[in-house]
Amino acid sequence: MNDDIIKIQGLSKHYHGQKVLDNIDLNIVRGEFLTLLGPSGCGKTTLLRLISGFENPDSGTVIINGHDVAGIPPHQRHVNTVFQSFALFPHLNVFENIAFGLRCQNISTPEINSRVREALRMVKLSELSQRKPHQLSGGQQQRVAIARAVVNQPLVLLLDEPLSSLDYGLRKNMQIELKQLQRQLGITFIFVTHDQEEALSMSDRIAVVQAGRIEQIGAPREIYEEPINLRVAQFIGQVNIFDTDIIEINDKALKVRIEGRELDLENRRGFRADQHIYTLIRPEDIKVWDETEVTDTHNMLPATVEQVIYKGSTVDLMIRLPSGRLIAATEFFDEDDDTLDYERGEKVWVEWYPGWEVLLPHE
Amino acid sequence: MNSDRLFTRFAIGINAAWLTLFALVPIILILIVSFLKPDPNFFVLMHFSPRSYLTLINPIYLKVFARSLLLALITAGCCLCIGYPFAFILAQLKTRFKPLLLLLVIIPFWTSSLLRSYAMVILLEAHGILNSFLLRWHIISQPLHLLYTNTAVLIGLVYCLLPFMILPLYANIEKLDLRLIEAARDLGASHLQAFGKVIIPLTLPGIISGTVLVLLPAMTLFYIPDLLGGAKSLLLGNLIQMQFLYTGNWPQGSAVSIALTVLMSLLLLLYLRLIPKAQRSQPL
Ligand SMILES: Nc1ncnc2c1ncn2[C@@H]1O[C@H](COP(=O)(O)OP(=O)(O)OP(=O)(O)O)[C@@H](O)[C@H]1O
Ligand SMILES: [Mg+2]
């Protein structure tokens, strides 16, 4: 596709003999909001630094807007970064911070003024343009950092955990504002976070990075509902994992044994008989029935309620299976069932909506 | 809590006493002496007289002053040119030898600068170490005439005062947030632009402190021009020294000292004016 603004091929990077990025392939579509999601130390910042030109790869290529950027210094890459620490210039006021990039090019003063004023308006800081960075709140500094980058109209904006130093409420606001800004500007965003909720709610696509490799890349829903392996599934959201034996198999259906009970599942991945697989099921996909509510216990597992955590709109349950395993379930209040009064020690039956489980082979 | 406050008061008290005794009292004494009349036999006559100050306008004094200032400025400039890269590299080093290197900068403080000036004489003499070395390696064919020239004085001053430039610069550059330089580069600044627009402004306090710390001694160190410049090189420091030791004109020497102090105070005041508070103590 020619609409890829960045193409990364076979990118590897070592520090002191330790592999930090391992053969990364990644295409980033023009105008998309791509999130790099992964635990601390998995190489997200390193990947951004390779794109922005602050580090050189050991092997592999980075192509930005059709040009191989090997050897091109950071200031000529038309890529701007919003740093986690903001890195605002303490000796310059807000206006001059934002104007910095423009002043480095030969742009006329009137144009600089109008573009900076426009950027200030965009991040709602017009009133504070004469303040120094240390006279601003964290959220305001954040906005200056963003304005300072986007005013240069970069091909790609790299954001390295830009929200992680903000408190919860501000963070939620900035998430919405960032997303709006990205739509409005149409600039490609590469956003780094280790907060999966943030990634799910903001991104067009998520790349799950682990130990220097991209495990899976796809739309948030795809990543959440169809994780391709256990590591991705466990990193994104809570998940219950069952060891599963296949007893009988045909094109459409599986008969499996989970926790000593036989269940019927859909066969979607072409498994073989006698294969050991994992069944993954998210807490919110689990239904918990009171013993008295059920007559047909086919495809259900017996269990005992161990803990009840009331969360306002949901109730989180910890449920113990006869084998002694604990699983998590989240029940939603809805019109049909507004009671949801589970008690500790209560005997229940557990099931899930057929087909909502994810089946993965042993690796 | 209480003993803490007691200690604070005690510490402040000691400091205040020290400064009063060894800084304020001498200055007041000099100030008083500068307004008295000279007496060759008994140091001073207890008669008020502004004559010493009026003499300062004498073209000879002005010339010496101008020469001293020029030499001091050149010294400060040289110290800055050598000291800045030195301090920068030192501050950015990531080896465990860093404290050792810093120590090497400070060690010269431990020997009397008078001794070190004599060492410079041996180094710069016609048959001194430098010339022998250059001759041996056929870099020059005739010994250089260095000793007893202005160049020798300059070399001596720079050598002596370099640590005063390096230390404040080092302290400032060490605090410099390198991520700011990356941010500048990221925003499209070349190395040169990043240097001019970010590094220089952020290390300006260090540059100014270093310059002030070098300027003042450079104007008054009398033994360096004495030893290295010979009789030709009369500077402000020599002038003051002469007034006190040889001509016995204490009021005149005091007046020159006071004039110099006032000038330096004005420079400091200018510095405090020029650099906004926020920048003197850089917040993160
Ligand atoms: N300059 C460096 N020298 C040596 N090792 C480094 C360097 N930079 C990063 N590393 C190592 O590379 C690995 C990946 O670092 P990176 O900063 O890319 O992680 P990250 O995914 O951004 O983590 P975080 O979420 O904590 O910011 C880490 O193990 C880190 O220790
Ligand atoms: Mg990082």
Side-chain angles (χ1 to χ4, degrees), chain B residues 175 205 271-273 275-282:
Chain B
K175 281 188 302 182
Y271 159 65
L272 295 182
R273 268 289 170 80
I275 308 283
K277 231 195 204 124
Q279 228 175 297
R280 261 179 269 148
S281 55
Q282 287 172 45

Side-chain angles (χ1 to χ4, degrees), chain A residues 15-16 18-21 38-47 49 55 84 160-161 192-194:
Chain A
Y15 283 121
H16 317 299
Q18 180 208 352
K19 204 159 213 168
V20 173
L21 287 180
S40 191
C42 69
K44 307 180 296 285
T45 299
T46 306
L47 183 53
R49 291 174 65 83
E55 303 280 351
Q84 180 172 354
D160 193 354
E161 305 196 31
V192 163
T193 184
H194 51 235

